[in-house]
């Protein structure tokens, strides 16, 4: 016997199944949606801080200029906060040194990082979204420098947050498994370690050659030419 389409026993319908629950979907960063500049800027910062994976899971590319417009203020903030805390906590000498960190240098370092990161993704074939997806995720992650406003521990909080957001953001942007992203990050670490080792060898050889030249000069003067 059925009552309103449901079987009397257990209340289950015969041949009727409830609709499936849709999977959890991400949303575009507010920066990529219509809206006021400042509102979108700070809302996107909150999205990346709290839900980097969901925020970057929708394939989209607003353009390099738009992404740089979001990242550049955070790069300026990072330089400014370094100068401020350097002058307060480390003395004027550190402040002068920090002022030497220009926006151009910051952009160069950030650009080099993105290129090396994407190269590591290519090595493990985790570049499903292409270079644009890598660039997009790293541009938005620049907002994590907001943690630097906390004296003392801000840098350490930012470092931990960056690692987590980098891992989740890349996996979402390229729509690949987290194991592939982990492999890419290990490849990147190996690449950076190799570059550091080569640089150390080069500096060591240059120092040895300089010492040999100085020793030869001393011997030449000591033995009268």
């Amino acid at each position: 016997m059925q009552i309103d389409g449901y079987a009397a026993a257990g209340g289950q319908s015969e041949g009727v199944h409830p609709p499936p629950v849709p999977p959890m979907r991400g949303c575009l960063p507010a920066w990529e949606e219509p809206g006021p500049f400042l509102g979108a800027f700070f809302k996107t910062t909150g999205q990346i801080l709290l839900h980097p994976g969901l925020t970057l899971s929708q394939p989209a590319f607003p353009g390099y200029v738009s992404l740089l417009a979001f990242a550049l203020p955070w790069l300026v903030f990072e330089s400014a906060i370094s100068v401020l805390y350097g002058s307060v906590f480390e003395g004027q000498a550190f402040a002068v040194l920090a002022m030497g960190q220009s926006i151009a240098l910051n952009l160069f370092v950030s650009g080099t990082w993105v290129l090396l990161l994407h190269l590591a993704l290519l090595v493990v074939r985790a570049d499903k979204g292409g270079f644009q997806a890598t660039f997009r995720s790293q541009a938005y992650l620049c907002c994590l420098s907001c943690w630097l406003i906390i004296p003392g521990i801000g840098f350490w909080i930012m470092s931990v947050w960056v690692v987590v957001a980098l891992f989740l953001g890349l996996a979402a942007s390229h729509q690949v498994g987290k194991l592939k992203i982990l492999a890419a990050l290990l490849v990147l670490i190996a690449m950076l370690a190799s570059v550091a080792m080569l640089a150390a060898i080069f500096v060591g050889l240059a120092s040895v050659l300089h010492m040999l030249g100085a020793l030869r000069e001393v011997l030449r003067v000591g033995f009268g030419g």
Side-chain angles (χ1 to χ4, degrees), residues 195-209:
V195 171
M197 186 179 299
L198 289 174
I201 292 174
F202 178 79
V203 171
L205 287 175
S207 299
V208 169
L209 291 175

Side-chain angles (χ1 to χ4, degrees), residues 34-143:
F37 175 85
L38 286 178
F41 184 81
F42 289 111
K43 184 177 180 180
T44 300
T45 299
Q47 288 176 303
I48 296 297
L49 281 171
L50 298 177
H51 306 289
L54 287 175
T55 304
L56 297 175
S57 62
Q58 293 295 316
F61 187 69
Y64 291 107
V65 173
S66 176
L67 292 172
L68 285 174
F70 179 84
L72 188 58
W74 287 115
L75 294 176
V76 173
F77 170 80
E78 184 178 345
S79 298
I81 211 72
S82 298
V83 173
L84 174 63
Y85 286 155
S87 61
V88 171
F89 296 104
E90 300 291 343
Q92 295 300 319
F94 182 84
V96 172
L97 181 64
M99 286 182 181
Q101 180 187 12
S102 66
I103 301 303
L105 178 61
N106 221 342
L107 283 172
F108 173 78
V109 172
S110 300
T112 303
W113 163 261
V114 173
L115 290 174
L116 291 175
L117 179 60
H118 191 68
L119 180 59
L121 292 168
L122 284 170
V123 170
V124 299
R125 298 184 178 181
D127 60 320
K128 187 177 178 181
F131 180 74
Q132 293 178 341
T134 304
F135 188 92
R136 177 176 178 248
S137 66
Q138 299 312 293
Y140 284 127
L141 291 188
C142 287
C143 70

